[in-house]
Amino acid sequence: MTDRNVLDRFDSVLAETYRETVRSCGGEIWEANGVVSWASPLPQASPAYANGVMRTSRVMSPREALGITARFFGARKHGYTLLARSDDRGLWTEAERQGKAMATELSAMVTAAPPSRTAPSAEVELRPVENPTGMLDFCGVVASSLGPEGETRPLVDRLLRRPQTLIGTHRSGLVAYADGSAAACALATLVDGTALIGWVCTRPEHRGRGLATAVVVATVRSGFEKGADLAAVLSPPALVPVLDGLGFEEIGRYREYHLP
């Protein structure tokens, strides 16, 4: 399978994961001619899980795609995140022509085999999310890693604090506990044979201890145990070295544009 085919598969899995997240929190999805937009009940432009758009095929022109998307979110008075593949030059060129600045560039990373890395040290306990306590711990880690918890907690609770989001036959939420508290987390979502790893977060006071590596290894292994033949991560720059060390390879990049 060529990188382009794998990246198309990555696209499809990523879009479906966003759809699932928005469906679970009572949001709306609109799609036509390869443009997929999703709007949660929250108004902010980022993260992409809340409100976003992708172009999964190039039937619609970049100008049409951006115009329709702007009307969709404008009618709701929402900001949103445009995710443009780096090889979709027409889309991100049009976005920048309209004065939109790239916020960040993310790496599409994949592996066809579970990591061989050993288990974490005895001071770290890995627990699957199986009950309300685990869900609260998972959400607490995500909220504190995104910013001041008082500001981020409403967003995290809206997007994640539901059993169907973190628990299920095709979901594997995991929390790492260190020094008696929830310190890091990650979530594997199985879609069409691909385990998409997301919400890889570590509380600021626990960073630099290898906890991100531990939760990624465990969730990837869980994904393969559930039947995946590929694991994938849309990775921020800081996580790329961790994934490199676990045998992931970059197959492409996505540019993020935040439109308030």
Side-chain angles (χ1 to χ4, degrees), residues 4 38 58 73 103 124 126 133 136 150 166 175 202 210 221 226:
R4 177 62 184 269
W38 56 92
R58 300 176 193 183
F73 287 104
V124 178
L126 301 178
T133 299
L136 284 171
L166 296 174
V175 178
T202 305
R221 285 178 177 165
K226 287 179 179 286

Side-chain angles (χ1 to χ4, degrees), residues 48-248:
Y49 278 101
N51 296 286
V53 61
M54 294 173 59
R55 188 163 80 139
T56 57
S57 74
R58 300 176 193 183
V59 175
M60 193 179 295
S61 75
R63 185 174 295 185
E64 287 177 303
L66 293 177
I68 286 175
T69 301
R71 290 193 290 275
F72 173 77
F73 287 104
R76 291 156 182 79
K77 296 182 172 60
H78 282 195
Y80 62 99
T81 294
L82 167 66
L83 274 171
R85 263 170 48 171
S86 57
D87 65 348
D88 191 355
R89 188 177 182 86
L91 184 60
W92 57 260
T93 298
E94 177 63 22
E96 292 178 1
R97 189 192 69 78
Q98 294 183 17
K100 299 168 177 60
M102 184 177 73
T104 189
E105 190 169 50
L106 306 170
S107 296
M109 311 280 289
V110 300
T111 181
S116 57
R117 187 68 65 89
T118 57
S121 66
E123 293 84 25
V124 178
E125 182 186 3
L126 301 178
R127 298 181 204 164
V129 177
E130 297 176 326
N131 53 44
T133 299
M135 291 168 56
L136 284 171
D137 287 344
F138 190 104
C139 291
V141 172
V142 175
S144 66
S145 73
L146 294 179
E149 193 162 344
E151 298 175 14
T152 60
R153 193 66 193 234
L155 178 149
V156 172
D157 284 349
R158 187 65 144 169
L159 294 181
L160 290 175
R161 198 174 162 185
R162 287 171 176 75
Q164 65 267 35
T165 305
L166 296 174
I167 303 170
T169 56
H170 72 301
R171 300 270 187 172
S172 297
L174 188 94
V175 178
Y177 293 82
D179 304 326
S181 65
C185 66
L187 173 68
T189 303
L190 187 64
V191 179
D192 296 332
T194 299
L196 184 70
I197 312 302
W199 301 104
V200 181
C201 298
T202 305
R203 289 186 185 272
E205 64 269 26
H206 290 286
R207 289 173 186 165
R209 302 176 61 181
L211 297 179
T213 301
V215 294
V216 169
V217 167
T219 50
V220 169
R221 285 178 177 165
S222 177
F224 279 102
E225 288 167 2
K226 287 179 179 286
D229 59 18
L230 192 74
V233 183
L234 185 60
S235 174
L239 190 59
V240 169
V242 172
L243 297 172
D244 280 337
L246 297 176
F248 280 78

